[in-house]
Amino acid sequence: MGSHSHGRDASPEVLERATQSHHEFLGSFLGSQEKAEKAIFYSYKRHINGFAANLEEEEAAEIAKHPSAISVFPNQGRKLHTTHSWNFMLFEDGKGEIIPNSAWDMGRFGEDTIVANLDTGVWPESLSFNDYGYGPVPSRWRGSCENNTASGVVCNRKLIGAKYYSKGYEQYAGPIDPSMKTPRDYNGHGTHTLSTAAGNFVSGAKVFGLGRGTVKGGSPRARVASYKVCWPPAKNGECFDADMLEAFDEAIHDGVDVLSVSIGGDPIDYFKDGISIGTFHAVKNGIVVVCSAGNSGPDAGTVTNVSPWIITVGASTLDREFQADVKIKKGAHGEQFKGLSLSMPLPEDRFYPLITGAQAQAANASALDAMLCKPGNLDPEKATGNIVVCLRGQNARVEKGRAAALAGAAGMILCNNKELGNDLIADPHVLPATHINYEDGTALFAYVNTTKDPRGFITAPRAVVGTKPAPFMASFSSKGPNTITPEILKPDITAPGVNIIASYSEATSPTGLPFDDRKVKFNVDSGTSMSCPHVSGVVGLLKTLHPDWSPAAIKSAIMTSARTRDNTMKPMLDGSFVKATPFSYGAGHLRPNRAVDPGLVYDMSSEDYLDFLCALGYNQTMIQQFTDEPHKCPDSLSLFDVNYPSFSVPNFSGKASLYRRVKNVGSPGTYKAVVHHPLGVSVSVEPTRLTFVKVGEEKEFRVALRAHRRIPRAVHKVNVTTEEYAFGGLTWTDGKHFVRSPIVVGFPN
């Protein structure tokens, strides 16, 4: 029903009147206010004007016709965006050590910034949330920690907020055990993501004795808060819209600066998407919202959280690996394949017999299930003492290793299928094991199947830094085009999301699998769930350095300073080591230091986002009610003219014009336009130079696209559309700053 106009300082009486208005409104449809009070289980009364209620479909349909109802939609279930890599990390001494501030010369930089997430809760005992050396909690903070049960969460000067929301979930899954109704994290995901975004410095950390170093979040001195909205999976969902909207409403009121949301579902219309609605209200109130792009790659058109007011993050690799290589006995010198693992080494330094899972097939198993090393599908008489080569897919990676171990195998080698390409995960297997890519796996299968006495060895895991190429896109990372509004390129950015070390809940095991009873303080996990808080942490630093920047300015700084080349100085690759495109990485890979001083930004206000909704065709009445102030839609507005830091032209007819404006946030100077033309398209910019004499000055420019003589055939095909695509870019530079934007052009077949 839009926004409330009573502001952040509303009295309890005003808030109660808001709830009363919801009861009266619904009561007019249900026949009595008493029925309405029983039906409503959330009344959004602080900033978001609306309610969640149990209704029959016919009742909801009637309400949807009312002019006050901007959006009526079902309480949809969303999923966490992790791949469930389920690795873990241990401290050398099992405890770790808090590093004094003086060791980092950080002082109290960033302590006034509040970074929060919507997730599975928080493990407050984690050293990442220790408040050593912190000053008083900012006076503007209005949040709290719910600590009314034995398993509640106690606040400190670092962890300043922890709440939970379950009513929407319980409408589907039934009542939650009262002992579980707490903001405490029993899953691990919330602790991992929040500590990635803003965990404190903790030293003395190792991963199975490897890679000794220091763990910290992106904004290590920021305050943190957790809003628990996700619960055990039920009816294809873990996090329900009704709960998330309540969390958004309270987070805005509490005073957070950054919201990290590693949650998503299928992309849907903005006014029927609880995340889109909740994040709009947050951004309108100056909060920067960062969301994960999803883990449905490498299929095209799978990117979610596509609202233009959200920073949408894909996942890519970093240049640190935990390598455990495969050696095979072949010819005079043998052969070696790179693998990743955190498992224990083989007991003896010798070559072991190699067999495939299919060759160890149990009598009652199919060849495919045996090849996948599913539980109970391997014959101990065939597997004992051998290293079993298994195919990735369908069941959990660590579960495959356990199946091999129960069958008596000495070790396991996990091989990618073609779709997963070069995505390698370092897992804490229950036997000596490693994970190799598709190409090497194909070669290994061929060796085992064609050699009379195939033998191999898995080297002991070791930490390796400076690996190349890096970064490259994770195959699981969801890709564009944006299927809701293709004129807005999504994802916006990519960041590290593979084998990420962060804090973990000690209420669960590192794998989450039923047979695993280990408890750990830190974990290594993968997914766009992990890349999202990397960006959230950087946003926290930018909010500290530039408190006057809008959420759009911060997004622009992050996007236009990104990099599209890897550490070999070649274009970034995808998970199959094919050249990646903006549909995978958006503007490129995150570069925090460059984002601090971007030179120019593409700024937008909440009014611009309302104009965007106008351009989509939402009527004046709906737009008017979505805000608490009058808003008149422009007489004419093209989606091509939304002031976004990227350019996307679907269904290119041979010519197009796009208008943008940039704001100077650096020193005075003159910027020159440099164009990288998409294949078959000429791009002209007018004017070609922009001169700024002061900070805050804005200039407009026009980008004109023209096809060469006839519309060309592009080289990049996307299977979710009838279009083919070409890619280019526009850079504004004054010699010091390079303000880069991707250009995407779609050609209809």
Side-chain angles (χ1 to χ4, degrees):
M1 301 171 71
S3 298
H4 290 293
S5 59
H6 50 238
R8 190 165 177 250
D9 296 320
S11 67
E13 292 76 18
V14 170
L15 298 179
E16 179 57 33
R17 283 201 296 272
T19 297
Q20 181 69 18
S21 71
H22 295 155
H23 292 158
E24 292 171 356
F25 177 84
L26 182 58
S28 68
F29 290 91
L30 301 186
S32 76
Q33 188 167 319
E34 182 180 3
K35 289 182 179 179
E37 290 175 0
K38 290 181 179 179
I40 291 176
F41 56 90
Y42 279 129
S43 176
Y44 310 125
K45 57 191 177 184
R46 298 187 182 278
H47 295 272
I48 302 171
N49 185 9
F51 57 83
N54 276 318
L55 300 171
E56 297 295 335
E57 288 187 15
E58 296 80 5
E59 294 168 337
E62 278 300 308
I63 294 172
K65 297 175 184 177
H66 194 279
S68 294
I70 294 176
S71 180
V72 177
F73 57 94
N75 179 25
Q76 298 156 106
R78 310 306 180 95
K79 294 183 178 181
L80 299 168
H81 279 162
T82 179
T83 64
H84 298 296
S85 321
W86 305 121
N87 303 332
F88 73 99
M89 171 182 176
L90 296 174
F91 289 121
E92 183 179 23
D93 59 2
K95 296 180 180 178
E97 173 190 358
I98 299 298
I99 296 180
N101 299 332
S102 58
W104 292 91
D105 194 29
M106 289 293 292
R108 291 182 176 174
F109 176 79
E111 282 189 17
D112 288 336
T113 301
I114 302 166
V115 178
N117 70 347
L118 270 62
D119 215 303
T120 65
V122 64
W123 189 254
E125 292 80 10
S126 168
L127 291 174
S128 292
F129 307 128
N130 189 288
D131 65 354
Y132 177 88
Y134 275 76
V137 174
S139 59
R140 63 188 173 88
W141 176 246
R142 297 185 179 181
S144 62
C145 288
E146 293 178 331
N147 187 35
N148 55 353
T149 65
S151 58
V153 171
V154 179
C155 288
N156 61 25
R157 290 169 297 175
K158 171 69 173 179
L159 175 61
I160 62 175
K163 300 178 181 179
Y164 74 91
Y165 310 88
S166 63
K167 293 178 182 178
Y169 172 86
E170 291 181 281
Q171 303 304 315
Y172 280 81
I176 295 172
D177 187 316
S179 66
M180 302 294 287
K181 285 193 171 185
T182 164
R184 184 170 289 274
D185 180 11
Y186 292 101
N187 173 283
H189 189 274
T191 303
H192 195 284
T193 54
L194 185 57
S195 61
T196 298
N200 204 349
F201 295 98
V202 182
S203 71
K206 287 189 177 183
V207 183
F208 284 98
L210 302 173
R212 180 181 177 88
T214 297
V215 180
K216 71 178 183 67
S219 290
R221 296 297 296 172
R223 317 289 178 146
V224 297
S226 173
Y227 296 83
K228 182 177 178 179
V229 296
C230 300
W231 305 86
K235 296 192 177 180
N236 203 35
E238 301 160 87
C239 328
F240 285 79
D241 279 9
D243 296 325
M244 287 191 286
L245 281 168
E246 179 74 354
F248 279 122
D249 199 30
E250 292 211 7
I252 297 167
H253 168 78
D254 290 345
V256 305
D257 297 303
V258 184
L259 268 174
S260 191
V261 186
S262 293
I263 302 168
D266 294 334
I268 53 177
D269 179 86
Y270 303 108
F271 276 22
K272 296 188 180 300
D273 179 359
I275 293 180
S276 287
I277 292 171
T279 56
F280 177 88
H281 287 280
V283 171
K284 178 185 170 185
N285 283 275
I287 300 170
V288 184
V289 183
V290 187
C291 294
S292 50
N295 294 347
S296 299
D299 291 342
T302 52
V303 63
T304 189
N305 293 323
V306 297
S307 301
W309 44 85
I310 292 172
I311 303 177
T312 308
V313 189
S316 38
T317 65
L318 39 74
D319 66 350
R320 181 204 65 217
E321 295 178 341
F322 298 103
Q323 294 183 5
D325 299 335
V326 174
K327 294 182 178 179
I328 60 174
K329 195 173 183 180
K330 184 178 182 182
H333 304 289
E335 198 168 340
Q336 185 163 322
F337 307 119
K338 185 183 83 171
L340 300 188
S341 181
L342 289 173
S343 68
M344 69 290 288
L346 285 163
E348 299 178 52
D349 189 7
R350 64 176 176 85
F351 284 98
Y352 289 74
L354 294 174
I355 62 171
T356 67
Q359 290 171 346
Q361 178 182 353
N364 61 344
S366 70
L368 176 59
D369 286 347
M371 184 66 80
L372 290 165
C373 295
K374 291 185 175 181
N377 286 269
L378 301 177
D379 186 343
E381 291 188 7
K382 301 173 183 177
T384 297
N386 299 324
I387 295 177
V388 180
V389 183
C390 303
L391 181 66
R392 184 178 177 184
Q394 295 192 19
N395 59 319
R397 298 183 301 276
V398 174
E399 186 179 68
K400 296 173 188 288
R402 184 171 187 261
L406 290 175
M412 179 194 71
I413 301 170
L414 182 62
C415 303
N416 271 357
N417 56 29
K418 185 175 182 179
E419 183 180 57
L420 292 167
N422 295 287
D423 271 359
L424 301 182
I425 307 296
D427 284 310
H429 293 284
V430 296
L431 81 171
T434 194
H435 182 185
I436 64 176
N437 67 24
Y438 170 69
E439 183 179 344
D440 291 343
T442 300
L444 181 61
F445 276 121
Y447 166 73
V448 175
N449 288 325
T450 61
T451 303
K452 185 176 181 180
D453 183 25
R455 290 182 176 267
F457 179 73
I458 302 171
T459 64
R462 66 194 188 281
V464 178
V465 296
T467 60
K468 296 180 179 181
F472 62 85
M473 295 304 302
S475 293
F476 61 74
S477 186
S478 291
K479 296 170 63 175
N482 176 346
T483 56
I484 303 301
T485 311
E487 293 83 0
I488 302 295
L489 177 65
K490 291 285 182 171
D492 295 308
I493 195 79
T494 187
V498 179
N499 294 329
I500 303 304
I501 302 169
S503 294
Y504 213 62
S505 169
E506 293 182 62
T508 186
S509 71
T511 65
L513 296 171
F515 58 80
D516 192 353
D517 59 2
R518 294 173 289 186
K519 296 292 183 284
V520 298
K521 296 180 182 298
F522 279 74
N523 193 357
V524 179
D525 214 343
S526 298
T528 55
S529 279
M530 284 65 245
S531 56
C532 169
H534 275 79
V535 175
S536 302
V538 172
V539 169
L541 295 177
L542 292 176
K543 288 281 284 188
T544 300
L545 290 166
H546 304 289
D548 58 329
W549 283 10
S550 70
I554 288 175
K555 175 199 278 192
S556 176
I558 288 171
M559 290 176 64
T560 61
S561 61
R563 184 180 179 89
T564 60
R565 294 186 178 273
D566 60 25
N567 58 1
T568 70
M569 298 306 295
K570 294 180 180 178
M572 280 180 63
L573 304 175
D574 65 16
S576 297
F577 280 6
V578 174
K579 183 180 177 181
T581 75
F583 285 149
S584 292
Y585 54 67
H589 193 82
L590 177 70
R591 287 201 294 180
N593 291 347
R594 295 296 182 97
V596 170
D597 181 21
L600 307 176
V601 295
Y602 294 78
D603 206 359
M604 293 181 71
S605 66
S606 57
E607 294 292 303
D608 293 310
Y609 293 127
L610 293 174
D611 285 346
F612 162 78
L613 296 173
C614 291
L616 285 175
Y618 291 104
N619 64 52
Q620 187 76 37
T621 302
M622 294 180 73
I623 300 297
Q624 183 77 27
Q625 291 178 342
F626 205 62
T627 180
D628 53 9
E629 298 176 356
H631 180 81
K632 185 179 185 302
C633 287
D635 293 335
S636 63
L637 179 67
S638 168
L639 287 171
F640 290 157
D641 300 335
V642 175
N643 203 44
Y644 216 69
S646 57
F647 301 84
S648 180
V649 183
N651 295 304
F652 182 51
S653 62
K655 61 180 181 178
S657 292
L658 303 91
Y659 292 86
R660 294 289 191 275
R661 66 182 185 275
V662 285
K663 178 189 290 186
N664 180 36
V665 293
S667 55
T670 297
Y671 285 78
K672 175 185 176 182
V674 179
V675 173
H676 171 59
H677 301 270
L679 180 67
V681 181
S682 64
V683 180
S684 61
V685 181
E686 184 182 347
T688 59
R689 293 178 183 271
L690 300 174
T691 299
F692 298 90
V693 297
K694 61 182 180 180
V695 174
E697 186 177 4
E698 289 191 274
K699 300 279 187 179
E700 294 185 350
F701 64 92
R702 172 177 175 263
V703 176
L705 308 181
R706 297 291 183 272
H708 296 169
R709 292 195 177 181
R710 62 186 181 87
I711 297 178
R713 302 289 291 185
V715 295
H716 187 84
K717 296 183 178 181
V718 174
N719 59 13
V720 295
T721 74
T722 59
E723 296 182 84
E724 297 179 353
Y725 291 86
F727 306 97
L730 166 64
T731 300
W732 288 102
T733 180
D734 63 353
K736 175 186 176 183
H737 304 95
F738 296 86
V739 187
R740 298 183 176 92
S741 296
I743 299 174
V744 176
V745 182
F747 303 95
N749 280 328

